[in-house]
Amino acid sequence: MQLEFHQVDAFSNRPFSGNPAMVYRLDAWLADELMQRIAAEHNLAETAFLVREAQGWHIRWFTPTTEVPLCGHATLASAYVLFEVYKEPVERIDFIGKSGVMSVTRENDRLLLDFPALVPHEVGVTVELQRALGIDIVDVLGSTELLVVLESEQAVRDCAPDMAALARLPWPGVIVTAMGTQHDFVSRYFAPAIGIPEDPVTGSTHCCLIPYWSKRLGKQGLTAYQCSTRGGELFCRLEGERVKIGGHATLVASGKLLLG
């Protein structure tokens, strides 16, 4: 059996930056164990599998070690593949995943994700978190992830956490964020507990970052930069209980997986 794959750098308009994702458009679902092994073989932050069913495009996302309920950059990459490789004759693609229905729309030269807003709540600093991050903390909030506010963009860039200590925290991942110098806010995302020491650019974390920074800065439209080594720019809007996350995407590889 041969399976066609496409690798896309999401949230970037050039190769070798943004966040790489592998995309498989399947005729039918593979066994869960096989999809997990394929994701481990590619060893990217996310591998997305798509199947067209009666209700629309169903999507599942796998890290090298586990399936996750939501992934922004791999959804953006999946829409790009359907639009540009498979020439879907539409302007909007609706995906059905474990977190519900989400859409990706063409907006000029960008793709625009429509995800649920996740308003974070106060959690408070713990000794374990302070030791794991090894940096001064301004505030700690939580939604599906832990959101840690730092004093400056430079503090975010300089953050060098203890990954083993982060993996022991009772959260799937930790976002560090601060007000930006050239963007409204910046962030980084660490998730060693699910096999991702640091994710280059993370769409789903902006589901809680956008409501937080929108309220703090008093504006609906925001520019964001995830300042990992690869880096990526996001164009964000808060629209009621939804967030819009825009970005570019670049196809960098296509091929076939040979399963014998």
Side-chain angles (χ1 to χ4, degrees):
M1 181 171 64
Q2 299 182 6
L3 299 175
E4 189 174 81
F5 63 77
H6 304 280
Q7 184 173 330
V8 173
D9 286 347
F11 297 112
S12 176
N13 59 4
R14 63 188 187 280
F16 314 129
S17 61
N19 200 350
M22 198 65 72
V23 179
Y24 283 84
R25 189 191 70 163
L26 305 174
D27 294 327
W29 291 113
L30 305 171
D32 289 5
E33 180 186 5
L34 178 55
M35 288 190 286
Q36 185 63 74
R37 291 175 68 186
I38 291 170
E41 180 73 13
H42 289 303
N43 200 32
L44 297 177
E46 301 288 347
T47 297
F49 297 91
L50 318 173
V51 173
R52 192 199 292 272
E53 298 182 348
Q55 307 95 324
W57 285 101
H58 282 240
I59 186 168
R60 295 174 69 180
W61 310 272
F62 289 79
T63 77
T65 61
T66 190
E67 184 175 5
V68 295
L70 182 65
C71 176
H73 87 275
T75 303
L76 190 84
S78 297
Y80 182 86
V81 167
L82 292 178
F83 281 134
E84 302 299 331
V85 178
Y86 295 107
K87 305 300 180 184
E88 283 289 306
V90 293
E91 292 301 308
R92 189 182 86 176
I93 294 175
D94 293 326
F95 292 101
I96 303 164
K98 289 191 172 183
S99 296
V101 178
M102 61 215 78
S103 67
V104 182
T105 307
R106 295 180 191 266
E107 188 179 74
N108 300 318
D109 63 338
R110 299 176 194 151
L111 297 178
L112 193 66
L113 293 163
D114 181 337
F115 275 11
L118 301 173
V119 179
H121 57 276
E122 290 287 337
V123 172
V125 183
T126 64
V127 173
E128 292 79 10
L129 177 63
Q130 187 76 65
R131 287 175 177 169
L133 289 179
I135 198 167
D136 290 338
I137 294 171
V138 174
D139 200 4
V140 181
L141 304 96
S143 57
T144 56
E145 313 281 355
L146 199 62
L147 177 62
V148 180
V149 183
L150 304 183
E151 61 184 6
S152 67
E153 177 173 327
Q154 194 60 50
V156 172
R157 291 180 179 273
D158 291 344
C159 187
D162 179 332
M163 293 297 174
L166 279 188
R168 290 193 293 269
L169 297 175
W171 297 85
V174 175
I175 309 160
V176 294
T177 186
M179 195 177 301
T181 56
Q182 299 184 39
H183 297 81
D184 289 307
F185 66 91
V186 298
S187 68
R188 290 172 68 192
Y189 177 58
F190 308 101
I194 58 171
I196 307 171
E198 179 172 4
D199 197 35
V201 192
T202 318
S204 60
T205 57
H206 288 72
C207 291
C208 64
L209 283 163
I210 293 169
Y212 173 80
W213 285 108
S214 177
K215 180 178 180 181
R216 181 165 165 182
L217 300 177
K219 55 195 299 188
Q220 303 297 106
L222 301 155
T223 59
Y225 188 75
Q226 192 156 331
C227 46
S228 63
T229 301
R230 290 174 64 98
E233 190 173 30
L234 306 93
F235 304 87
C236 310
R237 291 201 304 269
L238 178 64
E239 296 186 357
E241 296 182 351
R242 308 291 294 183
V243 294
K244 300 294 178 70
I245 308 165
H248 299 95
T250 303
L251 181 68
V252 295
S254 294
K256 292 182 179 179
L257 182 71
L258 307 179
L259 296 178

